[in-house]
Amino acid sequence: MIQNNYFLTNEDLREHFYELIDWNEIVPIYENNFSDSKLYESTQNPKLEMAPTNPDEAISYYEEILKSCGEISGMYVSQVASVVDTKGLKFENGDVVHPQEMVDVIQMYHDAGLGPAAFKRKYGGLGVPSIIKAMIAELMYRSDSSITIAVGSMGLAAILEVCASEEMKNEWIPKLISGNYTVTMGLSEPDFGSDLPNITTKAIQKDDGWYLTGTKRFQTVACGVNGGPGITLTLARTGSLESGARGLSFFIVENKNYVIQGIEKKLGIKASATCETVFENSKGYLVGKEGFGLVKYVMGMLNGARLSVSSQGTGIVTAAYEEALKYAKERFQFGKPIYEIPAVKKLLDRMERELAGMRCLMVEAAYSVDKYYWYEDGREVTAEENKTAKFWEKVANTLTPISKYYNSEMCNDLVYDGLQVLGGAGYTEDYDLSRLYRDARITNIYDGTTQIQVNAAIGGITSGMTQTGTFRAYLDHLAKGSESNQCLTEIRSVFESIVETYKSIPDQNTKESFSFEVVESAARLVVGLLLERSKNKSKSRKELRTKWCKEFHVDSLGILTANHIKLKSA
Ligand SMILES: Cc1cc2nc3c(=O)[nH]c(=O)nc-3n(C[C@H](O)[C@H](O)[C@H](O)COP(=O)(O)OP(=O)(O)OC[C@H]3O[C@@H](n4cnc5c(N)ncnc54)[C@H](O)[C@@H]3O)c2cc1C
């Protein structure tokens, strides 16, 4: 793979960081008027030592983190990705063995403090906003998915900051960070994947605490890394078998307390351990309140995971685009580099343009979370702030599944084209495209398939398009950031018709079968508006962005028009 600093050499990502994101808006909200630095002054708590004292310091702090992440990812991890994929994992006597090259680079990330990026500083994390977390994840995923999952899994436990008791947070979060724990999402079972309300793993309370029994399937890195510690955040039934979602609770279970039955042989992410785990009277620790496991805590954890997959899609496509572009400039056919052949250039131009759209969506989804999440931090808020936070929470609840679905589907679509640019070479294991192609395939399956994301987004879109609805208000807010534009106006008008046609379908099953077309149309409209806004804000690449917008909108108009025709046939 290309070897350089993946932050410093990524023009589009840098443009987001230096020109497109309004840090003066995000930083004061997120940093809560620099409360960590004030606390440091009074307590000298070393965990808060790096806390910024003003917006400029915050931006420099975020910038240094991205540079350091870009360095490790691009200079080191990228260079072992192929070796790690080829060596894969071994399962010996109940233990999972990861390749040494993987263990070494994981340690590099941990030494740079990037494992606990997601946590607040007071617990030992980096305390960075979701936008920065999204960028860190993109940089890491560009170099390799399996390695990133092993390091980044710790971020799943950020949900503990929201739902665990103070005592549990203080006990567990610093321990996870200092011990470089892996964290697994313990949801899927052999008979229940998408259908989480019906899972059967049981938790019973005894005199000395909770004990879990059951089998979990597809448990990513539940084994820990080569004997290292790990926990599974496990969904288990504390109510009766018929209690559905409300009978499910959330537990921490340590990997020393369950058995790894085996690992899956997979199409891609070959060095990511996908384990079957067996709980037999396994000691667990209840998180939060009984009965809130699925309806509140797992949903919160999945929101974070969805943002992460959105970054994974962006990172994989960045790798595919850059590797394909390099190859196209070096490979000669018919006496010229294939880059100059119109059909090949068209593939690459589309990859670049669509990738720019994916990155806009990734950043915007993270921004929508930053706009509300921190108001829940126990701080005092005015009625106006409360109203703003509620608005953005609703937007985030729709935008997060949209960004997971869209960026994972586009990831598959664009990596396919990237491989095509390399012709036969792309199909061999000599080039990275074949690995990226295999790794891309999981993105629209795990953490909720595309169909489940569509189910999660459709309500927010359709009910949000009433005259006073949140999604309409959000689209209007985005449109304010873009110049009036004939093609975009037409797209918006077709979108309005699509939503109306969808709502008028009488048969529920027929209607449900067309949800994808509505969500896809919403995604293309949102991404188009975001690209327009980025064009208006851009100082360094306005011309290129103008070209992207024009071509993106034409494609979108084609997609929406086709979707409308399909819906009218229902
Ligand atoms: C490599 C890998 C890693 C994973 N890591 C984890 C992990 O760490 N923790 C964890 O708990 N799980 C994990 N999973 C499980 C993953 O989240 C599930 O595979 C996924 O949610 C789908 O569930 P399923 O495989 O049971 O498919 P099913 O639920 O059986 O779905 C099969 C098909 O039916 C569709 N479908 C099902 N229900 C609906 C519906 N209501 N509406 C529309 N379509 C529907 C699906 O979209 C899919 O196309 C992992 C899976 C893999 C492959």
Side-chain angles (χ1 to χ4, degrees), residues 204-211 283:
I204 52 166
Q205 194 169 23
K206 298 185 183 168
D207 291 344
D208 62 341
W210 290 91
Y211 289 84
K283 174 102 183 134

Side-chain angles (χ1 to χ4, degrees), residues 87-104:
K87 285 193 174 175
L89 302 165
K90 292 191 179 71
F91 185 64
E92 293 169 350
N93 308 320
D95 292 325
V96 180
V97 184
H98 294 75
Q100 190 55 42
E101 292 84 350
M102 179 170 181
V103 178
D104 293 342

Side-chain angles (χ1 to χ4, degrees), residues 317 319-322 324 346-356 358 413-419 421 433:
V317 175
Y321 171 68
E322 296 294 344
K346 189 175 174 188
L347 290 176
L348 286 161
D349 285 351
R350 176 170 172 267
M351 284 181 84
E352 186 190 29
R353 172 173 82 240
E354 292 288 347
L355 171 59
M358 290 169 71
D413 176 344
L414 298 173
V415 175
Y416 178 97
D417 277 358
L419 192 149
V421 169
L433 256 303

Side-chain angles (χ1 to χ4, degrees), residues 185 187-188 193-194 218-220 442 445-447 449 451 455:
M185 202 159 45
L187 313 179
S188 307
S194 306
F218 295 143
Q219 300 295 287
T220 300
I442 189 60
I445 295 175
Y446 64 8
D447 297 341
T449 61
Q451 291 68 33
N455 291 348

